[in-house]
Amino acid sequence: MPHNRAVVFDLDDTLYPFRRFVLSGCAACARRLERRRGVDARRAFRWMARAFREGAQGREVQTALRMLGLPDRLTPGLVDIIIWGRELNLRLPASTRQALAALRCHGWKIGVLTNGDPAVQARKIDALDLADHVDAIVFANEHGGGKPETAPFLEVARRLRVAPSRIVVVGDDEWCDVNGARRAGMRSVRFVGHRHWPQGPSAADLVLKHIADLPRAAAQLLADHRESHAA
Ligand SMILES: [Mg+2]
């Protein structure tokens, strides 16, 4: 059956680079600081972007406030802007859009399985305009404790109507995505195209740097799996 296979993608740092979400929020924070505190928005943004780049992920706002001599009590309001602000400027990279189109063209079903607060993840999916390009979206935290638990993986398989053994999971996180997929009886691809820090060893069936290589690689993984089980 040509439709009886699927690729299930993680969201952050797989379908799009997570830094875009953070930096888009930081830019909105910087504009707020300029409007309300009279600081130069570009300068504020530069401090936040530098904090993100240099390993202070999750503390971009605090770092910028300190460097700008502003009170730390502004932090919660600004962090809210990053997570909930309306000015979310995200888009799917062209290479991702092309890979999704190629998978569709070759009869793959496509799912998204994402950890994190479902409301926040839904905002990203909306901003990326993903819903029209995929067949199922599962917020893993609504099914047990999220990835790597087996329940959310089986839920996406159920919604796609594809057997776990015919699903290739693609994600950047070794523990949540690769380990979770293996435990659920699915093939696994560790995608390292958006992360720029050193990667540890992977137990994935395949490590992939370029998403353009995915359609061919996924087909090969399922073919290899079928052969090994027929042998
Ligand atoms: Mg991820």
Short mmCIF file of all heavy atoms in Angstrom, two decimals, residues 13 17-23 26 46-60 63 197:
data_model
loop_
_atom_site.label_atom_id
_atom_site.label_comp_id
_atom_site.label_asym_id
_atom_site.label_seq_id
_atom_site.Cartn_x
_atom_site.Cartn_y
_atom_site.Cartn_z
N ASP A 13 14.09 22.80 16.36
CA ASP A 13 15.42 22.38 15.90
C ASP A 13 15.37 21.18 14.96
O ASP A 13 16.38 20.51 14.73
CB ASP A 13 16.39 22.11 17.05
CG ASP A 13 17.16 23.39 17.44
OD1 ASP A 13 17.22 24.32 16.61
OD2 ASP A 13 17.69 23.45 18.55
N PRO A 17 14.75 26.09 12.79
CA PRO A 17 15.75 26.34 13.83
C PRO A 17 15.15 27.08 15.03
O PRO A 17 14.61 28.17 14.87
CB PRO A 17 16.82 27.19 13.12
CG PRO A 17 16.19 27.70 11.88
CD PRO A 17 14.97 26.89 11.57
N PHE A 18 15.24 26.46 16.20
CA PHE A 18 14.63 27.01 17.42
C PHE A 18 15.14 28.42 17.72
O PHE A 18 14.43 29.25 18.30
CB PHE A 18 14.94 26.07 18.59
CG PHE A 18 14.42 26.54 19.91
CD1 PHE A 18 13.06 26.65 20.14
CD2 PHE A 18 15.30 26.88 20.94
CE1 PHE A 18 12.58 27.08 21.38
CE2 PHE A 18 14.83 27.31 22.16
CZ PHE A 18 13.47 27.42 22.39
N ARG A 19 16.38 28.72 17.31
CA ARG A 19 16.92 30.05 17.61
C ARG A 19 16.04 31.15 16.99
O ARG A 19 15.97 32.25 17.49
CB ARG A 19 18.37 30.18 17.13
CG ARG A 19 18.56 30.12 15.64
CD ARG A 19 20.03 30.25 15.25
NE ARG A 19 20.20 30.14 13.81
CZ ARG A 19 20.25 29.00 13.16
NH1 ARG A 19 20.17 27.86 13.83
NH2 ARG A 19 20.37 28.97 11.85
N ARG A 20 15.34 30.80 15.90
CA ARG A 20 14.46 31.82 15.29
C ARG A 20 13.32 32.21 16.22
O ARG A 20 12.89 33.35 16.24
CB ARG A 20 13.87 31.29 13.98
CG ARG A 20 14.89 31.25 12.91
CD ARG A 20 14.29 31.54 11.57
NE ARG A 20 15.35 31.50 10.59
CZ ARG A 20 15.18 31.31 9.32
NH1 ARG A 20 13.97 31.17 8.85
NH2 ARG A 20 16.19 31.27 8.50
N PHE A 21 12.81 31.22 16.94
CA PHE A 21 11.74 31.50 17.90
C PHE A 21 12.27 32.41 19.01
O PHE A 21 11.66 33.44 19.34
CB PHE A 21 11.22 30.19 18.50
CG PHE A 21 10.25 30.38 19.63
CD1 PHE A 21 8.96 30.83 19.38
CD2 PHE A 21 10.62 30.11 20.94
CE1 PHE A 21 8.06 31.01 20.42
CE2 PHE A 21 9.73 30.29 21.99
CZ PHE A 21 8.45 30.74 21.72
N VAL A 22 13.43 32.05 19.55
CA VAL A 22 14.00 32.84 20.65
C VAL A 22 14.35 34.24 20.16
O VAL A 22 13.99 35.25 20.79
CB VAL A 22 15.26 32.14 21.22
CG1 VAL A 22 15.89 33.02 22.31
CG2 VAL A 22 14.89 30.78 21.79
N LEU A 23 15.01 34.33 19.02
CA LEU A 23 15.48 35.65 18.56
C LEU A 23 14.31 36.52 18.10
O LEU A 23 14.34 37.75 18.26
CB LEU A 23 16.52 35.49 17.44
CG LEU A 23 17.82 34.81 17.92
CD1 LEU A 23 18.81 34.69 16.78
CD2 LEU A 23 18.45 35.56 19.09
N CYS A 26 13.14 37.89 21.27
CA CYS A 26 14.10 38.88 21.79
C CYS A 26 13.93 40.21 21.04
O CYS A 26 14.03 41.29 21.65
CB CYS A 26 15.53 38.37 21.64
SG CYS A 26 15.93 37.02 22.77
N ARG A 46 21.14 43.05 20.58
CA ARG A 46 22.49 42.48 20.46
C ARG A 46 22.90 41.76 21.74
O ARG A 46 23.50 40.68 21.69
CB ARG A 46 23.50 43.57 20.11
CG ARG A 46 23.60 43.83 18.61
CD ARG A 46 24.91 44.51 18.22
NE ARG A 46 25.07 45.81 18.86
CZ ARG A 46 24.60 46.95 18.35
NH1 ARG A 46 23.96 46.94 17.20
NH2 ARG A 46 24.79 48.09 18.98
N TRP A 47 22.57 42.33 22.90
CA TRP A 47 22.92 41.64 24.16
C TRP A 47 22.18 40.32 24.29
O TRP A 47 22.74 39.32 24.72
CB TRP A 47 22.61 42.54 25.36
CG TRP A 47 23.66 43.59 25.61
CD1 TRP A 47 23.48 44.94 25.62
CD2 TRP A 47 25.05 43.36 25.88
NE1 TRP A 47 24.67 45.57 25.87
CE2 TRP A 47 25.66 44.64 26.04
CE3 TRP A 47 25.84 42.22 26.00
CZ2 TRP A 47 27.02 44.79 26.32
CZ3 TRP A 47 27.19 42.37 26.28
CH2 TRP A 47 27.76 43.64 26.43
N MET A 48 20.92 40.31 23.91
CA MET A 48 20.14 39.07 24.03
C MET A 48 20.65 38.01 23.05
O MET A 48 20.80 36.84 23.40
CB MET A 48 18.65 39.35 23.80
CG MET A 48 18.01 40.09 24.96
SD MET A 48 16.23 40.30 24.78
CE MET A 48 16.16 42.02 24.36
N ALA A 49 20.90 38.43 21.83
CA ALA A 49 21.38 37.48 20.82
C ALA A 49 22.74 36.92 21.22
O ALA A 49 23.02 35.73 21.04
CB ALA A 49 21.48 38.17 19.46
N ARG A 50 23.56 37.78 21.80
CA ARG A 50 24.89 37.33 22.22
C ARG A 50 24.77 36.30 23.37
O ARG A 50 25.47 35.29 23.38
CB ARG A 50 25.70 38.54 22.67
CG ARG A 50 27.11 38.21 23.00
CD ARG A 50 27.89 39.50 23.16
NE ARG A 50 29.16 39.22 23.79
CZ ARG A 50 30.05 40.16 24.07
NH1 ARG A 50 29.80 41.42 23.79
NH2 ARG A 50 31.20 39.84 24.63
N ALA A 51 23.86 36.57 24.30
CA ALA A 51 23.65 35.63 25.41
C ALA A 51 23.21 34.27 24.87
O ALA A 51 23.70 33.22 25.30
CB ALA A 51 22.60 36.18 26.36
N PHE A 52 22.31 34.29 23.90
CA PHE A 52 21.82 33.03 23.31
C PHE A 52 22.97 32.28 22.63
O PHE A 52 23.15 31.08 22.81
CB PHE A 52 20.71 33.32 22.30
CG PHE A 52 20.17 32.07 21.65
CD1 PHE A 52 19.27 31.26 22.31
CD2 PHE A 52 20.58 31.71 20.37
CE1 PHE A 52 18.79 30.10 21.72
CE2 PHE A 52 20.10 30.55 19.78
CZ PHE A 52 19.20 29.75 20.45
N ARG A 53 23.75 33.03 21.85
CA ARG A 53 24.86 32.43 21.09
C ARG A 53 25.94 31.87 21.99
O ARG A 53 26.55 30.85 21.69
CB ARG A 53 25.48 33.52 20.21
CG ARG A 53 25.47 33.24 18.75
CD ARG A 53 26.16 34.28 17.89
NE ARG A 53 26.90 35.32 18.52
CZ ARG A 53 26.49 36.60 18.62
NH1 ARG A 53 25.34 36.94 18.10
NH2 ARG A 53 27.24 37.51 19.20
N GLU A 54 26.17 32.54 23.09
CA GLU A 54 27.33 32.19 23.91
C GLU A 54 26.99 31.33 25.11
O GLU A 54 27.69 31.33 26.11
CB GLU A 54 28.08 33.47 24.31
CG GLU A 54 28.63 34.18 23.07
CD GLU A 54 29.42 35.43 23.40
OE1 GLU A 54 29.46 35.82 24.59
OE2 GLU A 54 29.99 36.01 22.46
N GLY A 55 25.87 30.62 25.03
CA GLY A 55 25.61 29.59 26.03
C GLY A 55 24.70 30.01 27.18
O GLY A 55 24.52 29.25 28.12
N ALA A 56 24.14 31.22 27.13
CA ALA A 56 23.23 31.63 28.21
C ALA A 56 21.78 31.46 27.76
O ALA A 56 20.93 32.29 28.07
CB ALA A 56 23.51 33.08 28.61
N GLN A 57 21.49 30.36 27.03
CA GLN A 57 20.12 30.12 26.57
C GLN A 57 19.19 30.06 27.76
O GLN A 57 19.50 29.42 28.76
CB GLN A 57 20.02 28.81 25.78
CG GLN A 57 20.54 28.93 24.36
CD GLN A 57 21.92 28.34 24.23
OE1 GLN A 57 22.56 28.09 25.24
NE2 GLN A 57 22.39 28.14 23.03
N GLY A 58 18.06 30.74 27.63
CA GLY A 58 17.10 30.81 28.73
C GLY A 58 17.36 31.98 29.66
O GLY A 58 16.55 32.27 30.54
N ARG A 59 18.48 32.68 29.50
CA ARG A 59 18.79 33.84 30.35
C ARG A 59 19.10 35.06 29.49
O ARG A 59 19.81 35.98 29.91
CB ARG A 59 19.97 33.52 31.26
CG ARG A 59 19.68 32.40 32.26
CD ARG A 59 20.71 32.32 33.38
NE ARG A 59 20.90 33.59 34.07
CZ ARG A 59 20.09 34.07 35.00
NH1 ARG A 59 19.00 33.39 35.35
NH2 ARG A 59 20.34 35.22 35.59
N GLU A 60 18.54 35.10 28.28
CA GLU A 60 18.82 36.21 27.36
C GLU A 60 18.34 37.53 27.96
O GLU A 60 19.05 38.54 27.92
CB GLU A 60 18.14 35.98 26.01
CG GLU A 60 18.63 34.78 25.23
CD GLU A 60 17.92 33.49 25.64
OE1 GLU A 60 17.05 33.53 26.54
OE2 GLU A 60 18.26 32.44 25.07
N THR A 63 20.34 38.70 31.06
CA THR A 63 21.67 39.19 30.65
C THR A 63 21.56 40.60 30.09
O THR A 63 22.33 41.50 30.46
CB THR A 63 22.28 38.25 29.58
OG1 THR A 63 22.31 36.94 30.11
CG2 THR A 63 23.68 38.69 29.19
N TRP A 197 26.11 23.14 18.35
CA TRP A 197 27.06 22.76 19.37
C TRP A 197 27.43 21.29 19.19
O TRP A 197 26.76 20.55 18.46
CB TRP A 197 26.52 23.05 20.77
CG TRP A 197 25.18 22.50 21.07
CD1 TRP A 197 24.88 21.28 21.57
CD2 TRP A 197 23.92 23.18 20.88
NE1 TRP A 197 23.52 21.15 21.70
CE2 TRP A 197 22.92 22.30 21.30
CE3 TRP A 197 23.57 24.45 20.41
CZ2 TRP A 197 21.58 22.64 21.25
CZ3 TRP A 197 22.24 24.78 20.36
CH2 TRP A 197 21.26 23.89 20.78
#
